[in-house]
């Protein structure tokens, strides 16, 4: 497990490897400083920290919306510095992102929103229909497939956003407050989905400041404070989930 | 859902892209008119070229003494006719009857006594065998009647040719301007759409769309809009051409002969919507590709 490895040093084959990464939006005030991070394949981490600590900034580095101001960032073993735009697009297809503000396309139905990553990756339409339908049923939106985002509640939108993030069975899942707008029962159900994908081999990072959620799962925490990242042990001892599994 | 034509952008209902369709309609209409003017001038020139090539008009000045009987043939004219009738290069030779000369002058001088009293030159129409040079025949005529004027219509034809060339160049320039206007319009409309859909494009990028995928969507849209606009432009052009042809038919055929337009012209017209579509597609693709470089 990542948190057992010394100093969290990057390792060949890691899904994510950040080496002394700085990020600054204006060139002066650092948002992230000297961040080292290695996420092995099939890992699960919470990302915690107060608002403004840099959680969303770190995630935006990982989903390639931002480039590091200094340091190196490797995704699936590929250095993203100087990578072509097509290369970046290819890397993005291997990750799934749940945005805090969902970022659904209002002119598309819930079904088409979820289908988007598959269609962009040119997955045959028969497969798209089957996978999307199944997933939307699973997140409890069977009735809302043809609804457009503006007519959905916050929680429903969040579930569409999660479905879109995982429909492509990504190798890396980044979720920014994915359970912020749903009640606890649904939150646990959605977390179970992430855990399931994690068990199937995806690396998962869930940013949240919901302590009760964090305390229910035996996953290590990446904690951000003033732009510095520290690795903390799980709030829940690992033994109890081993008992479950 | 077919991949071709699939779009994740709400550009179908977008005002900017619909605007392209109407503008292309007007532009293609204008281009079609310009092309037709160009083709008609070219055909006219070819028509005149064909009808005067290999012909000469010989003018033999009238003797200064009063003409005798109307059907008298002056000495010089007889000499010219005599030479031409036996010349190997000559296909046909014919003296223009005096009545016809008078008729030709009627629009300018009126009819009646005044004209019939005038010392009119005699005209001889000569048709040469195809491919022969006018020089040998001209020399023979000049030897027989040194005062004769031989007109092989070259000067006139050259002037008409220059006019046709000028018209052709203007038409070509006009089509260039139209193409530029089309390109610029597509560029600006595409930029407007890009700004409008910035958020959507960002999401598409974040879920793995390549620049080409997104540019392709804009380009396909531009292709469809411009081709549709081009077809509308041709639909507008057809009745306009009909009306012009109808009006032209009322004009004397010696001024505007009823010449057919070449097949190539109709092929060009038919290709205009496609050309407009491809042009719009290219402009949209390049514009989007450039703009996307600065995006996520």
């Amino acid at each position: 497990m990542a948190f057992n490895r010394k100093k969290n040093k990057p390792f060949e084959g890691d899904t994510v490897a950040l080496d002394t990464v700085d990020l600054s939006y204006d060139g002066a005030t650092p948002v992230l400083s000297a961040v080292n991070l290695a996420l092995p394949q099939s890992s699960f981490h919470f990302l915690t920290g107060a608002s403004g600590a840099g959680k969303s900034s770190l995630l935006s580095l990982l989903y390639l919306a931002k480039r590091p101001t200094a340091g190196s960032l490797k995704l699936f073993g590929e250095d993203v510095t100087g990578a072509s735009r097509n290369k970046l697009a290819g890397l993005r297809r291997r990750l799934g992102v749940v945005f805090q503000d969902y970022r659904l396309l209002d002119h598309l139905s819930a079904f088409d929103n979820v289908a988007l990553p598959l269609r962009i990756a040119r997955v045959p339409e028969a497969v798209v229909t089957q996978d999307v339908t199944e997933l939307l049923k699973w997140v409890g939106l069977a009735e809302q497939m043809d609804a457009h985002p503006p007519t959905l509640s916050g929680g429903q939108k969040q579930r569409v956003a999660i479905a879109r993030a995982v429909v492509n069975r990504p190798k890396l899942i980044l979720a920014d407050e994915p359970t912020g707008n749903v009640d606890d029962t649904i939150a646990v159900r959605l977390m179970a989905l992430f855990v399931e994908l994690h068990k199937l081999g995806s690396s998962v990072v869930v940013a949240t400041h919901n302590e009760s959620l964090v305390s229910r799962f035996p996953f290590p925490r990446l904690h951000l404070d003033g732009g510095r990242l520290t690795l903390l042990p799980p709030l829940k001892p690992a033994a109890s989930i081993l008992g479950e599994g | 859902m077919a991949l071709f034509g699939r779009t994740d952008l709400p550009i179908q209902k977008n005002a900017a892209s619909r605007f392209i369709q109407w503008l292309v309609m007007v532009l293609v209409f204008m281009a079609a008119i310009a092309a037709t003017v160009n083709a008609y001038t070219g055909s006219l020139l070819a028509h005149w070229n064909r009808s005067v090539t290999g012909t000469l008009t010989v003018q033999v000045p009238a003797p200064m003494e009063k003409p005798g009987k109307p059907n008298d043939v002056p000495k010089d004219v007889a000499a010219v006719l005599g030479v031409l009738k036996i010349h190997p290069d000559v296909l046909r030779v014919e003296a223009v009857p005096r009545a016809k000369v008078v008729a030709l002058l009627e629009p300018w001088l009126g009819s009646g006594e005044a004209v019939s009293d005038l010392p009119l030159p005699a005209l001889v129409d000569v048709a040469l065998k195809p491919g022969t040079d006018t020089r040998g025949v001209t020399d023979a005529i000049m030897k027989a009647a040194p005062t004769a004027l031989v007109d092989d219509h070259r000067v006139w034809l050259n002037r008409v040719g220059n006019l046709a060339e000028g018209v052709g160049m203007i038409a070509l320039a006009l089509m260039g301007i139209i193409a530029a206007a089309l390109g610029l319009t597509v560029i600006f409309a595409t930029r407007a759409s890009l700004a409008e859909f910035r958020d959507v494009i960002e999401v598409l990028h974040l879920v793995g769309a390549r620049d080409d995928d997104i540019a392709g969507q804009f380009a396909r849209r531009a292709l469809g809009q411009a081709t549709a606009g081009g077809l509308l432009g041709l639909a507008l052009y057809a009745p306009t051409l009909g009306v012009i042809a109808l009006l032209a038919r009322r004009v004397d055929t010696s001024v505007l002969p009823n010449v057919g337009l070449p097949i190539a012209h109709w092929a060009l017209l038919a290709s205009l919507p496609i050309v407009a579509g491809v042009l719009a597609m290219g402009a949209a693709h390049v514009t989007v590709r450039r703009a996307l470089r600065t995006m996520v």
Side-chain angles (χ1 to χ4, degrees), chain A residues 85-86 92-93 103 107, chain B residues 8 202 205 208 211 292 295:
Chain A
R85 293 181 60 80
N86 274 351
R92 285 194 188 109
R93 289 182 188 189
R103 310 196 72 164
H107 66 282
Chain B
D8 312 308
E202 209 168 289
H205 270 143
D211 287 356
L292 291 185
M295 286 184 69

Side-chain angles (χ1 to χ4, degrees), chain A residues 13 41 123 128 147 157 162 203 212:
Chain A
Q41 286 173 25
V123 171
V128 172
K157 281 191 237 184
I162 290 171
S203 305
S212 82

